[in-house]
Amino acid sequence: MTTAVLIAGLLSTTGVAAAAGPVDQVQDAVPAGNLGIFDTPDVSRRVAQTFTAGVGGTLDQVDLQLALVGAPGPLTVQIRGVDAGGQPSATVLASATLPAASISADTAACPLGCWVSVPLPPSASTAGTSYAIVASVGATTGADEVLWAFGGSYAAGDGLLSGDRGATWDAAGVDLGFRTFVTPAAVPPPPPPPPPPPVTSDCRQQGHRWWPGNDRRRGCREHHWHWRDHGWHDED
């Protein structure tokens, strides 16, 4: 089941990561332009960027390079699977929505897009698997839109456009600015060593293990067992 989250207090959230994991995938070249995201009664556009996870664990945040024009509806960001054709699948793994007001309209500070952090409900990240970041907005009018900056090149994914609300996708010919954050899967501790070989003699003293031998005083000799190289070794 997918958990949706609305950021900035518009909706109480569940399952949202308190802190993002380390950066995994990045396309943060200097922007060369941007693509509009809008949804009017007559025409709409959704924008997506596919990527290939490099780290196994939990994806808990993406950063997108965004700008604002006018007053569009809230921006919805989804993490989806990718189908055999390299396009976003219908499987939504995580979803978050943030108000357009949280996106900077300061074109002096970042003319083509400022970085916006989007915390997400945790979803699985499998190294070597492709995923898609899909961005859409609520109803817009006129020229209202969210702009997603592009620039540089990302070899392990592609930018995509949809003019029919995600039913079909076309190559954008550019890669969008994004970062993914993944909390790596915990490495399980090594199993405890097996017990040392059993003592086959009744000859013991002061908690030491003794083996039959030629010790003149006791008729036994002491064996010291040590765990090394995945096995017990007699260090006598």
Side-chain angles (χ1 to χ4, degrees):
M1 180 177 67
T2 302
T3 303
V5 48
L6 199 57
I7 301 172
L10 297 183
L11 179 70
S12 61
T13 65
T14 58
V16 180
V23 174
D24 180 18
Q25 299 299 294
V26 176
Q27 202 297 97
D28 58 359
V30 175
N34 46 42
L35 298 176
I37 306 168
F38 48 86
D39 193 347
T40 71
D42 298 322
V43 62
S44 71
R45 180 194 283 166
R46 297 184 181 185
V47 179
Q49 174 70 44
T50 61
F51 65 94
T52 304
V55 177
T58 301
L59 174 67
D60 44 34
Q61 180 175 305
V62 295
D63 290 356
L64 307 180
Q65 204 166 10
L66 304 173
L68 187 68
V69 175
L75 177 74
T76 297
V77 177
Q78 297 176 334
I79 302 298
R80 296 193 182 198
V82 173
D83 63 22
Q87 299 185 349
S89 71
T91 302
V92 179
L93 304 174
S95 179
T97 301
L98 64 157
S102 65
I103 302 170
S104 175
D106 186 354
T107 56
C110 36
L112 294 176
C114 295
W115 287 102
V116 178
S117 295
V118 184
L120 293 161
S123 61
S125 172
T126 302
T129 297
S130 295
Y131 301 94
I133 305 168
V134 178
S136 61
V137 296
T140 58
T141 58
D144 296 342
E145 59 184 347
V146 172
L147 302 175
W148 190 351
F150 63 80
S153 178
Y154 175 72
D158 297 290
L160 299 164
L161 300 173
S162 175
D164 51 12
R165 296 181 174 85
T168 60
W169 293 89
D170 296 311
V174 294
D175 288 308
L176 291 306
F178 76 98
R179 305 179 184 125
T180 65
F181 297 79
V182 174
T183 299
V187 178
V199 175
T200 57
S201 170
D202 290 334
C203 192
R204 302 178 177 88
Q205 180 174 337
Q206 297 179 351
H208 295 297
R209 293 185 179 274
W210 299 85
W211 235 252
N214 296 320
D215 191 302
R216 291 193 299 268
R217 292 169 298 171
R218 308 185 194 279
C220 299
R221 60 186 175 88
E222 186 176 2
H223 282 236
H224 300 276
W225 294 94
H226 296 270
W227 180 256
R228 187 183 74 248
D229 299 330
H230 308 291
W232 287 100
H233 297 270
D234 178 7
E235 301 293 342
D236 186 30

